[in-house]
Amino acid sequence: MRNEADFLAEGPRVGIRNFTLEDGEEFIALAAASRALHGPWLFPPTDPEAYATYANRLRTDPARHGFLVCERGDGRIAGFININNVVEGAFLSGALGYGAFAPAAGRGLMSEGLGLVVRHAFTTLGLHRLEANIQPANEASLNLVRRAGFRLEGYSPDFLFLDGAWRDHERWAITKEMTERGAVRGEDAPA
């Protein structure tokens, strides 16, 4: 069990914290148990070496920020949310990547966690915009960003090479101004 003092932000049921190398065993086991849930959308690391490379990149690359969404009380990892491709200067933007693990799926924990990450990104990290690129058939992911107040901004054919092919994606985004108008609902989202 991890100490809740490690949380960067907390909601009623979850907190977000940085990745550590010590999380490898739990993360790998959850990723392996969640293959059916993630495929064909997401391929998190499922072996110690791949996890160490992944976690170290999130911890050391200034263009990336990685957050584990953990249940309060017992500290179990519910999922993860990463901000990738952070661009500073006039853009102040990042691209989201995320996944729930099977034991947490459908419980609203990722909705709460996403709300915490969005607020953290717009306050502590000083970003202005977050974007999520989602394959059109990935209903769970689309529902997550809708609940969080993201807006659909477009469609990108052949956007990312995943699972052996170029995949179309919808582009969803949220800005700091949207959150100031109450768009981020995270902890208030339905389970």
Side-chain angles (χ1 to χ4, degrees), residues 97-165:
Y98 49 81
F101 289 123
R107 296 176 45 211
L109 301 176
M110 289 300 289
S111 291
E112 186 177 321
L114 181 56
L116 294 171
V117 168
V118 168
R119 281 188 281 284
H120 185 77
F122 293 154
T123 57
T124 305
L125 300 179
L127 297 179
H128 171 259
R129 173 186 169 85
L130 293 172
E131 186 170 306
N133 297 292
I134 303 165
Q135 293 180 57
N138 188 343
E139 285 297 323
S141 189
L142 292 170
N143 289 334
L144 178 66
V145 296
R146 282 185 192 113
R147 281 191 305 270
F150 283 60
R151 66 180 171 222
L152 177 62
E153 293 191 336
Y155 186 81
S156 298
D158 302 328
F159 185 68
L160 288 174
F161 192 80
L162 297 169
D163 198 25

Side-chain angles (χ1 to χ4, degrees), residues 22-133:
E22 292 77 25
D23 295 310
E25 187 176 327
E26 181 182 4
F27 188 98
I28 291 164
L30 287 164
S34 302
R35 280 191 184 122
L37 175 66
H38 292 158
W41 324 112
L42 181 65
F43 303 94
T46 55
D47 67 69
E49 185 178 332
Y51 175 82
T53 299
Y54 178 73
N56 279 328
R57 193 176 318 129
L58 290 169
R59 294 161 29 97
T60 62
D61 183 343
R64 298 172 192 250
H65 301 276
F67 306 96
L68 293 172
V69 177
C70 300
E71 294 190 57
R72 292 188 60 196
D74 64 12
R76 287 182 296 174
I77 299 172
F80 58 96
I81 301 171
N82 302 328
I83 304 173
N84 302 299
N85 306 321
V86 172
V87 178
E88 296 182 347
F91 200 37
L92 290 175
S93 181
L96 290 178
Y98 49 81
F101 289 123
R107 296 176 45 211
L109 301 176
M110 289 300 289
S111 291
E112 186 177 321
L114 181 56
L116 294 171
V117 168
V118 168
R119 281 188 281 284
H120 185 77
F122 293 154
T123 57
T124 305
L125 300 179
L127 297 179
H128 171 259
R129 173 186 169 85
L130 293 172
E131 186 170 306
N133 297 292

